[in-house]
Structures are given as structure tokens and as C-alpha cells.
Amino acid sequence: MPRIIYRHQPATRFIVSAIGDPGERQFFIQVKSADGLNSVTLEKSQVIGLTQRFEELIKEIRRGQLTTTEELNAPVEVDEQPMELPIDEDFEVGVISITWENDLAIINMQAASQDDDLILDDLDSGPDLLIATLRLNQVKGFCERARLIVAAGRPACPFCALPIDPAGHLCPRANGYRR
């Protein structure tokens, strides 16, 4: 089956959001541009990892002066609006790559695949792909929103750092007693 490539160059919206109760939330990234709207699902750990990589990218850009001072100091765009409806999952994210070119972050999100051979460069076949280009202030805004979305989940146990359900949890550091 041929690969579908969704292009959002430039993206006018790139947000993360979650639907559901803490502990059972489904995480989404929604991307919008003049070419349309796409929503992809991913794991909470992928949201955390993407946010960390974006923050590292911002530090590298500052350190290496890889963009103009104006771009570095541009106001952060935090999109606080909910996801647009309808929320139709285009695919589940497997591999994410980030590059920095011409003062833009280019994000490639490839669909999770059952194949062992995940190739981002194969444009004719393979898993679906979403490509988005973002300005630096959009990347910063994504990071701020992502931190809020991730923190809105279940609190961590102060003893073992595992998430605590509303009814408590069996803490391994307490020999299985409930906390």
C-alpha cells in the first residue's frame, strides 16, 4: 500500500492534548496548515521525549547562535485552545525526527509499523508520514503546553515515583502496602 504523506509547511498550529481521565488518557498531536488538519496519537513518554528534545534544540540554537536575535526573543505562542473537531486519528506515531533548517524546526512523525525496517527516506512505500515546519516561538509554545498537559495526569508517589490512582497504589518501596 502506498505511503500517505501529510505536509504542513508551514504549520499554523502544532499542539499536544490529551483526552480521558488521568491514567487512561489518550495523547494527541494536532497539526494544522493551509493544507488541512491532522491528528496523530502517541504515548505520554513520546510527548515527554519530544518536549525534552525541543528544549535541547532551543538551547543549542541559543548556544550556537543559529538564528537571529529577533527570532530568539520573539514572543512565545502558547496555544491554549482545545483540539479542533472532529478528532480523527490519522495514525499512531512510531518514529519522530527533528531537524533545524533555515530558521525552522522540521518535524517528521512516522506511523508505528509492524515492519522491522523503519525507513524515513522511503517516499514510495512504508508507514505514513507527517511533516511539519515550525518557527522557534511555536516550538517554545508547544513545550509550555506539553508540560501542562503531562503534569495534569496522576500525581507521582513520593516514595517510588509511580503514578498514584485515586484509590491509591501498591507501592513497591512499602513492600506492597497501599499508599
Side-chain angles (χ1 to χ4, degrees), residues 5-7 9 14 50 91 93-99 101 105-111 120-121 128-133:
I5 300 176
Y6 305 99
R7 294 183 189 276
Q9 298 171 298
F14 187 87
L50 179 59
F91 59 81
V93 175
V95 177
I96 302 172
S97 72
I98 305 168
T99 57
E101 295 178 24
I106 302 169
I107 295 82
N108 292 300
M109 292 184 280
Q110 181 175 302
L120 281 171
D121 296 332
D128 293 347
L129 181 66
L130 187 146
I131 302 169
T133 57

Side-chain angles (χ1 to χ4, degrees), residues 4-68:
I4 299 173
I5 300 176
Y6 305 99
R7 294 183 189 276
H8 297 279
Q9 298 171 298
T12 55
R13 190 167 199 222
F14 187 87
I15 63 164
V16 63
S17 198
I19 297 174
D21 294 327
E24 300 175 6
R25 297 187 299 166
Q26 177 65 58
F27 289 83
F28 288 88
I29 288 183
Q30 195 170 68
V31 188
K32 184 177 183 179
S33 69
D35 294 325
L37 176 72
N38 292 103
S39 301
V40 295
T41 61
L42 65 169
E43 298 293 324
K44 180 179 181 179
S45 60
Q46 289 174 297
V47 173
I48 293 168
L50 179 59
T51 303
Q52 290 170 343
R53 295 296 298 147
F54 274 156
E55 289 169 343
E56 289 173 16
L57 174 68
I58 293 166
K59 287 177 188 174
E60 284 297 317
I61 291 168
R62 282 188 191 283
R63 240 184 261 133
Q65 299 176 346
L66 301 175
T67 190
T68 63

Side-chain angles (χ1 to χ4, degrees), residues 140-177:
K140 292 176 185 177
F142 175 89
C143 291
E144 286 189 27
R145 180 175 174 136
R147 282 191 294 274
L148 293 173
I149 296 293
V150 168
R154 298 174 288 174
C157 173
F159 300 104
C160 69
L162 292 173
I164 300 175
D165 291 321
H169 81 120
L170 296 176
C171 182
R173 298 231 13 228
N175 288 332
Y177 288 101

